[in-house]
Amino acid sequence: MTDATAGTPATNVRVMLVDDQVLLRTGFRMVLAAQPDMEVVAEAGDGAEAIEVLRSTAVDVVLMDVRMPRLDGVEATRRICAAPNPPKVLILTTFDLDEYAFSGLKAGASGFMLKDVPPGELLAAIRSVHSGDAVVAPSTTRRLLDRFSPMLPSGVGEPKNKDVDRLTEREREVMLLVAQGLSNGEIAARLVLSEATVKTHVGRILTKLNLRDRVQVVVLAYETGLVRAGGGAH
């Protein structure tokens, strides 16, 4: 629901719903419509339609299902994220489809949520992704990567290991905690630092490793073996 108050629409998070289940889109639309800072500006029933709609519609965050006809959410996410100035993509998944969520993260998604997520958590996730704080539901991210890290090709991260060596000892500490799913606040408490300092370290890590966001930090840490299944550091 768009607030008609002067100036408010400019701050609204413009959301697109992509799911082949009309009933599910309707439910999400109702939840988002009740928020003064969000509006659903577009919907699509599959990935191909989503890409077409995005050519003419300005969107901040895409809620993307994975299993859809014509073009699935993973490939749609890959194409969307490869475009200039793309919207953030939040993958919607279920526990039995976690492998799709991992593929979505690799494709460029900024995070993922379960389809049966409580409304409050969904709204918080959309706001987090919109503001650039990537890993949503870190405990779920850990379970996902713990489950699928054995499937990662052993050589994928080798070239990037040299980049990891460029990190300072403190940056490496922060990277490992990010990879284990800790928020900036939790990392600050663990390392006895201010949250602003942690944020600075995270920014430097992203720059040095040429990564887009925290999700890519998590994936890289597992690919390179810096973090192993179970959440422990190498």
Side-chain angles (χ1 to χ4, degrees), residues 88-112:
K88 304 289 187 180
V89 178
L90 189 57
I91 294 285
L92 296 171
T93 186
T94 54
F95 276 125
D96 60 324
L97 293 176
D98 279 349
E99 63 270 28
Y100 291 98
F102 179 77
S103 298
L105 296 182
K106 294 276 290 178
S110 293
F112 68 92

Side-chain angles (χ1 to χ4, degrees), residues 96-156:
D96 60 324
L97 293 176
D98 279 349
E99 63 270 28
Y100 291 98
F102 179 77
S103 298
L105 296 182
K106 294 276 290 178
S110 293
F112 68 92
M113 298 296 292
L114 301 176
K115 279 194 173 183
D116 59 356
V117 62
E121 290 185 24
L122 174 65
L123 296 171
I126 292 171
R127 292 185 180 103
S128 293
V129 166
H130 180 246
S131 68
D133 290 338
V135 181
V136 184
S139 61
T140 309
T141 302
R142 281 201 299 273
R143 289 197 298 272
L144 167 70
L145 291 173
D146 289 347
R147 177 178 168 187
F148 289 100
S149 57
M151 297 165 54
L152 295 172
S154 58
V156 168

Side-chain angles (χ1 to χ4, degrees), residues 44-63:
D46 59 58
E49 184 183 358
I51 291 171
E52 183 64 31
V53 171
L54 282 171
R55 292 195 177 109
S56 59
T57 306
V59 173
D60 298 312
V61 177
V62 178
L63 290 185

Side-chain angles (χ1 to χ4, degrees), residues 144-223:
L144 167 70
L145 291 173
D146 289 347
R147 177 178 168 187
F148 289 100
S149 57
M151 297 165 54
L152 295 172
S154 58
V156 168
E158 287 176 6
K160 293 182 179 178
N161 264 325
K162 296 177 183 177
D163 294 330
V164 172
D165 290 340
R166 296 171 53 206
L167 301 179
T168 66
E169 184 176 348
R170 178 62 87 187
E171 288 166 353
R172 190 183 176 93
E173 269 186 298
V174 172
M175 178 183 177
L176 291 175
L177 294 176
V178 167
Q180 291 173 52
L182 275 66
S183 66
N184 284 353
E186 292 168 332
I187 295 171
R190 179 78 65 88
L191 299 180
V192 195
L193 299 170
S194 71
E195 199 163 337
T197 299
V198 172
K199 198 168 184 178
T200 298
H201 283 313
V202 171
R204 288 173 180 163
I205 291 166
L206 297 178
T207 299
K208 287 184 178 181
L209 301 183
N210 194 29
L211 301 176
R212 185 191 67 246
D213 56 33
R214 296 168 74 96
V215 167
Q216 292 193 342
V217 172
V218 176
V219 173
L220 173 62
Y222 274 78
E223 286 182 334

